C-alpha cells in the first residue's frame, strides 16, 4: 500500500529547500546512494560530513564531489560501522550540532562473517552500528535545527524476522535471510526511535526510507558465486538508477513535510522503482513489543544507552 505525498507532481532533488547552515552526516557516502545523498544536500548548501570505512575510497569520493561542486562545504571522516570502537572514535571527535543523520551505509548478502566485536556482520553493521551511532549523536542532534535521523531500510525487510535465538547465524545462516533480518531491524529501530522521541517530547524526527531496487555496488561487493552473477544481470536489466533511488532518503532528510514515523519509498509497482511516496512497513515490524525487545538487546550488545530526558531535568 502506498499513499501519495503532499507535494505537487513527482518530488525530485530540485525540490530540496535551502540547506545553508545545516550539518549533515551521511554514512557510507563514498559511493551509491550515500554519495548521491551527500552530493545533493551539499548542492543545496549543507555542510556534509561524508563517512567511509575505506579511507582511500572515501578520499576519492571527496575529490570527486569537490570537482562536481567547487566551493561546497564537504569533509571526510573515517567510520567503520562494523567496529564499535570506530563508532565511539567518530562521535567523540565530532564537536558540532548535527541537523541530519542519514544512516545509509550497509553490507548486503556476504558469506557469514563476524564484526570486530563478534556480531554477525550484516546485523552488526546495518543495525547495531547505526543504533550505537544514533545514540551517541543524540545530544548533537538535539542541538540541531529541525533535526532528523533517516534510517535506510529495504523492501526485503518484509521477508525478515529477528532470530533472537541465533543472532550470529551460527546454527542457520543464509546471506539473504540475515540481510532481511538486518533491514527488518532497521524498521523496528526507526519506528521505536520515533515512539520514544515523541513520548519524551524530544524534537528530533525519526524517518525511514528505502530505495526500491536501485543499481549500487552493494549487489556486487557482498554476494559471491551464483548470487553475485544473478544480481549483476538484474542490476543491468531491472534496477533503477541510483539517482532516482536516493530521492527517498533525500525526501526524508530534507522535505519540510517529512514526519517522524513515516516510511518513504518508490511509488512504482511493488515499490521497486519510482519517485518518493509514503509506503507501509511490514505489519509485524510495527509491533512495539518486538521493537522494545530488540532495543533492550541492542543497548546490551552495544553498551550504548539513549538519554531521552528533557534538557534541564533534575537527576
Amino acid at each position: 500500500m502506498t499513499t501519495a505525498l503532499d507535494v505537487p507532481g513527482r518530488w525530485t532533488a530540485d525540490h530540496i529547500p535551502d540547506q545553508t547552515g545545516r550539518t549533515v552526516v551521511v554514512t557510507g557516502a563514498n559511493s551509491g546512494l550515500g554519495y548521491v545523498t551527500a552530493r545533493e544536500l551539499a548542492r543545496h548548501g549543507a555542510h556534509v560530513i561524508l563517512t567511509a570505512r575505506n579511507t582511500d575510497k572515501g578520499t576519492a569520493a571527496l575529490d570527486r564531489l569537490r570537482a562536481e561542486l567547487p566551493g561546497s562545504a564537504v569533509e571526510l571522516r573515517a567510520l567503520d560501522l562494523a567496529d564499535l570502537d570506530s563508532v565511539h572514535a567518530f562521535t567523540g571527535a565530532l564537536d558540532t550540532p548535527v541537523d541530519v543523520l542519514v544512516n545509509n551505509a550497509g553490507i548486503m548478502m556476504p558469506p557469514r562473517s563476524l564484526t570486530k566485536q563478534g556480531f554477525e556482520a550484516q546485523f552488526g553493521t546495518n543495525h547495531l552500528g547505526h543504533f550505537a551511532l544514533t545514540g551517541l549523536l543524540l545530544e548533537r542532534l538535539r542541538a540541531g535545527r529541525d533535526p532528523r535521523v533517516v534510517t535506510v531500510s529495504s523492501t526485503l525487510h518484509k521477508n525478515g524476522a529477528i532470530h533472537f535465538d541465533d543472532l550470529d547465524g551460527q546454527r542457520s545462516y543464509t546471506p539473504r535471510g540475515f540481510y532481511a533480518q538486518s533491514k527488518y531491524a532497521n524498521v523496528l529501530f526507526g519506528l521505536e526511535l520515533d515512539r520514544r522521541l515523541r513520548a519524551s517530547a524530544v524534537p528530533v524526527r525519526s524517518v525511514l526510507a528505502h530505495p526500491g531496487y536501485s543499481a549500487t555496488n552493494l549487489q556486487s561487493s557482498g554476494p559471491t558465486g551464483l548470487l553475485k552473477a544473478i544480481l549483476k544481470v538484474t542490476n543491468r536489466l531491472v534496477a533503477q538508477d541510483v539517482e532516482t533511488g536516493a530521492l527517498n532518503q533525500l525526501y526524508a532528510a530534507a522535505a519540510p513535510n517529512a514526519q517522524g514515523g513515516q516510511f518513504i519509498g518508490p511509488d512504482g509497482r511493488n515499490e521497486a522503482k519510482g519517485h518518493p511516496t509514503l509506503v507501509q512497513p511490514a505489519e509485524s515490524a510495527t509491533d512495539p513489543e518486538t521493537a522494545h525487545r530488540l532495543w533492550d538487546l541492542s543497548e546490551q550488545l552495544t553498551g550504548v544507552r539513549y538519554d531521552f530526558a528533557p534538557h534541564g531535568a533534575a537527576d
Side-chain angles (χ1 to χ4, degrees):
M1 175 183 178
T2 60
T3 306
L5 297 170
D6 185 20
V7 294
R10 288 184 157 186
W11 195 90
T12 72
D14 291 337
H15 290 97
I16 296 173
D18 183 20
Q19 299 292 297
T20 302
R22 293 172 69 71
T23 296
V24 179
V25 174
V26 182
T27 68
N30 58 285
S31 66
L33 299 165
Y35 180 83
V36 173
T37 299
R39 185 195 67 204
E40 292 306 314
L41 293 173
R43 187 192 305 279
H44 288 82
H47 168 211
V48 181
I49 300 172
L50 294 81
T51 81
R53 175 183 59 84
N54 184 305
T55 53
D56 289 340
K57 292 180 179 179
T59 299
L62 185 66
D63 291 343
R64 175 186 169 196
L65 185 50
R66 285 174 170 165
E68 288 189 70
L69 300 175
S72 57
V74 292
E75 61 174 292
L76 172 70
R77 300 199 185 194
L79 173 61
D80 183 357
L81 289 158
D83 179 0
L84 294 177
D85 293 337
S86 176
V87 176
H88 278 274
F90 172 82
T91 58
L94 201 60
D95 58 358
T96 181
V98 175
D99 302 290
V100 183
L101 169 61
V102 183
N103 289 326
N104 164 82
I107 58 173
M108 178 180 175
M109 304 183 193
R112 181 176 179 270
S113 63
L114 303 179
T115 69
K116 181 179 178 181
Q117 283 76 29
F119 309 123
E120 186 276 317
Q122 295 185 92
F123 185 76
T125 302
N126 300 353
H127 170 61
L128 291 176
H130 282 125
F131 179 92
L133 177 67
T134 304
L136 292 169
L137 287 182
L138 185 57
E139 195 64 20
R140 298 289 180 199
L141 286 157
R142 290 172 69 144
R145 176 166 56 92
D146 183 23
R148 306 178 186 200
V149 176
V150 178
T151 301
V152 181
S153 184
S154 164
T155 54
L156 280 180
H157 87 274
K158 296 177 181 179
N159 300 111
I162 305 299
H163 308 294
F164 286 107
D165 60 347
D166 188 27
L167 275 179
D168 62 4
Q170 185 173 3
R171 295 202 298 272
S172 179
Y173 178 82
T174 63
R176 190 177 188 274
F178 274 71
Y179 178 71
Q181 172 181 249
S182 72
K183 295 288 99 179
Y184 186 76
N186 288 155
V187 177
L188 287 167
F189 164 66
L191 295 178
E192 180 65 11
L193 178 60
D194 174 65
R195 285 189 285 265
R196 295 185 183 222
L197 291 167
R198 289 176 183 271
S200 304
V202 175
V204 178
R205 307 186 204 187
S206 172
V207 191
L208 286 156
H210 80 76
Y213 190 179
S214 299
T216 74
N217 65 359
L218 273 183
Q219 289 92 337
S220 59
S221 61
T224 60
L226 179 60
L227 179 58
K228 182 174 183 176
I230 292 171
L231 290 174
K232 182 178 180 180
V233 173
T234 56
N235 250 19
R236 187 169 64 250
L237 299 180
V238 179
Q240 68 180 351
D241 62 83
V242 71
E243 304 280 341
T244 306
L247 292 177
N248 303 287
Q249 57 206 62
L250 283 166
Y251 181 94
N257 290 339
Q259 299 298 316
Q262 288 183 333
F263 197 174
I264 311 300
D267 61 3
R269 184 179 179 183
N270 297 323
E271 301 171 24
K273 297 182 180 181
H275 287 248
T277 194
L278 292 178
V279 299
Q280 301 300 315
E283 184 176 355
S284 62
T286 68
D287 176 38
E289 184 175 340
T290 305
H292 192 276
R293 184 180 179 188
L294 176 64
W295 189 284
D296 287 348
L297 179 62
S298 300
E299 287 193 333
Q300 176 187 335
L301 294 176
T302 64
V304 174
R305 285 171 171 74
Y306 283 56
D307 180 9
F308 294 105
H311 282 164
D315 292 336

